[in-house]
Amino acid sequence: MLPAAYTRYADALLHRAASSRRLRRGQPPDPLAGLRVDDDGLRVLLRELPAAAASDGTQVADSESAEPAESAESAESAGSSNAEALARLDAAHAGVIEASRAHLHAALGDDSRFGALVRRCWLDQTEAELLAVLVAVEIDPGRQRLAGYLNDDVTLGWLTPHSLEQLFPETSTPGPRDVLRAAGPGGGLRRARLLMPPDGRPFGATPIQLAPGVLWWLAGDASEPADLPPGVEILRVPGWGDQYLVVASGPDRTRRLQAVVAATPAEGFLLTSPARTSREWDALIRYASLEGLAVVLDVDDDLPPEARTHVERATQLAWAISSATDLPVSALPRRSWTSLPVMPPTATTSEVSAVFGEHELPPVTLTADQLHAISIAASAMGGDVSAALRRTATGAIEQLSTRLVPTRGWDDLVLPERQSAQVREVAQRTRLRKQVYGDWAFTPEPSTGVIAMFTGPPGTGKTLAAEVIAGSLGLDLYRVDLSQIVNKYIGETEKQLARVFAAAEMSPVVLFFDEADALLGRRSAVSDSHDRYANIEVAYLLQRIERYNGVVVLASNLAKNIDEAFIRRIHISVDFPMPGAGERRRMWSRAFPTSAPISELDLDQIADKFAVSGASIRNAAITAAFLAAEAGTPISMDAVVEGIRREMHKSGHYVRDDVM
């Protein structure tokens, strides 16, 4: 796992410390019955340290001084005082330790994973030396036994503050205080979450233990740890940079990420919302440190205090904070940061063309977020971007509305000429937004969205018109019933509306608000708190509709019920009248499929005699078809009249038996 250059230093330190301890104590530890390291066992361990010999087979100490074990034994056999023996032992080991330390420092600049880890985590020399010693001990059982010997507890095979003071005595460089600082809460090893947290033992016996993922990473396993926060994304890009903190704000997440990637030098980016637990934070910072990733925290309303603390402390990482709106300065970490310019959310023509290729470009304005989602969906759907365009609309928005897949076209919409032209204008205005707001540089205020209001009695074609518009644009229609969203509890209506628009803004769809007068009615005088909050709900809906970049169609049975402040914000208003005799005749002709058996229907007479809506005509035709199917006959005038009679009865109108 580690080249010899990294393990020699640990072996030299262990050799000196164990020999010195044996000389001081004169007896091996015996903490548990049946578990002990005696003198003979210690000599074997010292002589069999994995890095005791260089790659060419010669002893490491040969180039600097006498072999340490022999020097220690000769010092003991001389019968001199312990102080003199210890001095001679230190002198005998000094050359070996300094040589191996120099090898370690030289190796830190190589392309090994250990050297990369030291550089990525911004470890100083003492922290790098300690890391090498910790890794060397944890990967070799013999070194672990020596650590137990130094701890006076052979069951404690990790280094501790007590054993570190023996490895790095006062006469050494670095000294014990330097090494304990490197292992402490303020050191780079804990800043990068490379060490396990203390386990509650007394200070001297607290294991200074590497986090499990560190050793696996050094062994070549770079898989993402299971305890990362949910929803983490990894984006790899070339390059590497200095410590960094940037802030990017804007309504489009993809645009914010583009700004961060362009401004932050890093080997890759780890995209996540703030972690929820200490374990998740440790895994997040450790993995980013190991892999050399910048961390992008995507936040909604505020940066949690614990997130600010981790950003402030983990200065070895490049950080970015991404938010839909500007966060208060008081919410940002207390370290220098740079605010990044973020492009407008609307996808450029070249960006859209790059995704759609040879396919027909969509007639709607897409945001960078929407285009990114379409690109991902298209890759998973065999490159079918048209299907991907529709697929991105499904999901969260369907929890709050009803999806209507358009099946009817302009020929199915029967309206007077003026109203028909107005409905077509909604689709045309949507298609031409790029030209007007892009090529001609008109300023969209406050968005490029199209807002249409359809008013008229029930059944006059308002829903059908919205469906036809969506179908002509290649989009799905989502019907939102405002009467179901308006909540009697204060503040709940705004939350429901926020969910609708948040979901819609991620998908190119046509939003159809039915029964709009349930919320957009005339605002009342404020006589109590409920009136005040009702007016707030209206204002909130107006604001969200104006900011929406897609197509919004609102339907109401009575135009006079709509607040005048909202009427001024509508781009196209269409009044759907009850159909005249000519429109009814066209509707009746389309009500019966060519495959249906018909028996001498006088559609002109039916259209003149019965003033019903388009929805009633369709229902009456279906009722007549079922009556004929039950009787085993073609669809007759009698069956059609019976269907009309039943439809008119729903609205309190009665048809005489002798009407035809």
Side-chain angles (χ1 to χ4, degrees):
M1 181 182 294
L2 282 183
Y6 294 106
T7 56
R8 289 176 189 170
Y9 182 54
D11 290 347
L13 291 173
L14 285 167
H15 205 304
R16 177 183 64 182
S19 300
S20 177
R21 183 190 182 284
R22 182 179 62 178
L23 191 59
R24 286 191 179 93
R25 295 286 301 273
Q27 61 180 7
D30 192 6
L32 296 174
L35 297 174
R36 57 180 303 185
V37 179
D38 56 21
D39 282 345
D40 291 336
L42 180 59
R43 290 190 184 94
V44 171
L45 286 173
L46 293 177
R47 287 171 178 163
E48 292 183 352
L49 287 174
S55 57
D56 60 359
T58 60
Q59 293 294 317
V60 175
D62 289 347
S63 61
E64 301 292 341
S65 64
E67 202 276 322
E70 295 177 359
S71 300
E73 291 170 6
S74 62
E76 292 180 79
S77 62
S80 55
S81 68
N82 272 2
E84 294 175 349
L86 286 171
R88 287 196 298 273
L89 186 146
D90 284 343
H93 285 83
V96 177
I97 291 175
E98 285 307 312
S100 58
R101 186 169 182 242
H103 280 295
L104 170 61
H105 291 172
L108 292 177
D110 63 18
D111 58 357
S112 68
R113 296 178 76 84
F114 188 92
L117 177 59
V118 170
R119 293 190 295 274
R120 288 170 179 173
C121 296
W122 293 86
L123 302 181
D124 61 27
Q125 283 192 349
T126 301
E127 292 162 348
E129 292 172 18
L130 176 58
L131 177 62
V133 172
L134 293 174
V135 173
V137 169
E138 293 212 24
I139 63 176
D140 183 75
R143 298 189 187 107
Q144 292 162 21
R145 293 193 68 194
L146 287 174
Y149 178 82
L150 296 177
N151 290 321
D152 207 14
D153 183 350
V154 293
T155 66
L156 192 57
W158 296 287
L159 295 179
T160 63
H162 175 65
S163 53
L164 280 181
E165 289 182 331
Q166 298 175 65
L167 287 177
F168 299 91
E170 292 288 351
T171 57
S172 70
T173 302
R177 290 181 178 81
D178 300 322
V179 177
L180 289 177
R181 175 201 56 78
L189 296 173
R190 294 200 183 274
R191 183 183 63 223
R193 306 304 196 272
L194 302 181
L195 301 181
M196 295 287 286
D199 60 3
R201 303 190 203 190
F203 176 75
T206 298
I208 301 174
Q209 184 180 1
L210 290 172
V214 176
L215 293 172
W216 285 110
W217 187 86
L218 288 171
D221 184 349
S223 57
E224 299 173 22
D227 46 1
L228 281 177
V232 166
E233 301 175 54
I234 308 296
L235 174 64
R236 303 283 184 181
V237 294
W240 170 243
D242 202 343
Q243 304 172 15
Y244 211 75
L245 172 59
V246 296
V247 177
S249 59
D252 192 275
R253 181 174 182 265
T254 298
R255 287 293 191 232
R256 301 196 300 267
L257 178 58
Q258 289 172 343
V260 169
V261 171
T264 308
E267 293 183 10
F269 294 84
L270 194 152
L271 321 177
T272 180
S273 56
R276 296 170 297 183
T277 65
S278 296
R279 181 178 178 181
E280 287 183 352
W281 275 115
D282 288 348
L284 185 73
I285 294 173
R286 182 186 310 118
Y287 185 70
S289 299
L290 292 172
E291 290 291 301
L293 303 174
V295 181
V296 183
L297 296 180
D298 202 34
V299 300
D300 294 326
D301 302 322
D302 197 2
L303 188 68
E306 63 272 18
R308 296 199 297 272
T309 300
H310 288 292
V311 174
E312 290 167 356
R313 292 179 179 175
T315 54
Q316 81 281 4
L317 295 177
W319 292 88
I321 299 171
S322 168
S323 60
T325 58
D326 288 329
L327 298 179
V329 173
S330 59
L332 296 174
R334 293 176 179 84
R335 51 183 289 193
S336 60
W337 48 270
T338 302
S339 181
L340 301 178
V342 178
M343 289 177 59
T346 303
T348 64
T349 302
S350 60
E351 289 174 328
V352 176
S353 299
V355 172
F356 279 78
E358 299 298 326
H359 293 76
E360 182 181 356
L361 298 183
V364 294
T365 301
L366 298 174
T367 65
D369 259 352
Q370 292 170 340
L371 191 63
H372 178 64
I374 292 168
S375 177
I376 294 174
S379 298
M381 300 173 72
D384 190 344
V385 290
S386 298
L389 179 68
R390 305 181 87 100
R391 180 64 180 84
T392 55
T394 61
I397 193 173
E398 290 191 352
Q399 301 173 9
L400 306 163
S401 58
T402 303
R403 182 188 184 194
L404 301 176
V405 179
T407 58
R408 293 175 284 183
W410 293 111
D411 290 341
D412 298 300
L413 185 63
V414 179
L415 288 172
E417 184 176 348
R418 181 173 65 85
Q419 282 85 352
S420 179
Q422 288 177 307
V423 173
R424 288 178 181 271
E425 185 184 346
V426 177
Q428 293 165 355
R429 184 164 184 156
T430 304
R431 288 194 184 93
L432 297 173
R433 287 184 295 179
K434 292 181 181 178
Q435 180 177 346
V436 173
Y437 294 126
D439 300 341
W440 294 358
F442 276 78
T443 302
E445 294 183 359
S447 72
T448 62
V450 178
I451 306 173
M453 170 67 77
F454 294 168
T455 58
T460 51
K462 300 186 293 294
T463 303
L464 173 59
E467 176 188 336
V468 170
I469 291 171
S472 70
L473 297 173
L475 305 176
D476 286 343
L477 178 72
Y478 281 83
R479 178 177 176 176
V480 183
D481 191 343
L482 280 177
S483 63
Q484 299 299 317
I485 286 184
V486 174
N487 196 294
K488 64 181 179 180
Y489 296 105
I490 291 174
E492 288 300 313
T493 299
E494 293 97 312
K495 292 180 181 178
Q496 294 284 69
L497 289 171
R499 293 178 62 199
V500 169
F501 280 100
E505 284 167 351
M506 290 302 298
S507 311
V509 301
V510 175
L511 282 180
F512 179 64
F513 288 90
D514 203 7
E515 304 291 342
D517 42 356
L519 187 57
L520 295 178
R522 297 180 179 276
R523 281 175 280 190
S524 60
V526 178
S527 59
D528 57 27
S529 61
H530 288 283
D531 290 336
R532 183 170 68 254
Y533 279 103
N535 290 345
I536 291 174
E537 291 169 350
V538 175
Y540 180 81
L541 179 59
L542 296 181
Q543 178 190 30
R544 289 310 303 260
I545 287 178
E546 282 190 312
R547 286 167 44 197
Y548 182 56
N549 278 308
V551 182
V552 174
V553 178
L554 300 111
S556 173
N557 293 336
L558 295 172
K560 64 181 181 181
N561 288 348
I562 303 299
D563 192 293
E564 291 182 2
F566 184 74
I567 295 293
R568 292 194 299 270
R569 292 170 167 84
I570 294 172
H571 301 130
I572 300 172
S573 179
V574 185
D575 181 31
F576 286 70
M578 288 293 290
E583 285 87 26
R584 291 197 297 271
R585 175 64 177 79
R586 290 166 58 195
M587 292 176 185
W588 277 114
S589 67
R590 288 171 169 78
F592 300 99
T594 56
S595 58
I598 298 175
S599 175
E600 298 180 355
L601 294 181
D602 189 346
L603 298 182
D604 289 329
Q605 184 181 7
I606 295 173
D608 289 337
K609 184 72 69 173
F610 302 105
V612 293
S613 67
S616 295
I617 289 174
R618 183 175 183 275
N619 291 340
I622 293 176
T623 299
F626 276 104
L627 291 173
E630 183 180 4
T633 63
I635 302 172
S636 64
M637 284 287 287
D638 289 341
V640 172
V641 172
E642 178 60 26
I644 295 172
R645 178 181 287 110
R646 296 185 183 185
E647 284 300 307
M648 296 186 70
H649 182 74
K650 294 177 184 178
S651 58
H653 297 88
Y654 295 90
V655 178
R656 300 195 314 271
D657 292 337
D658 59 349
V659 68
M660 298 292 290

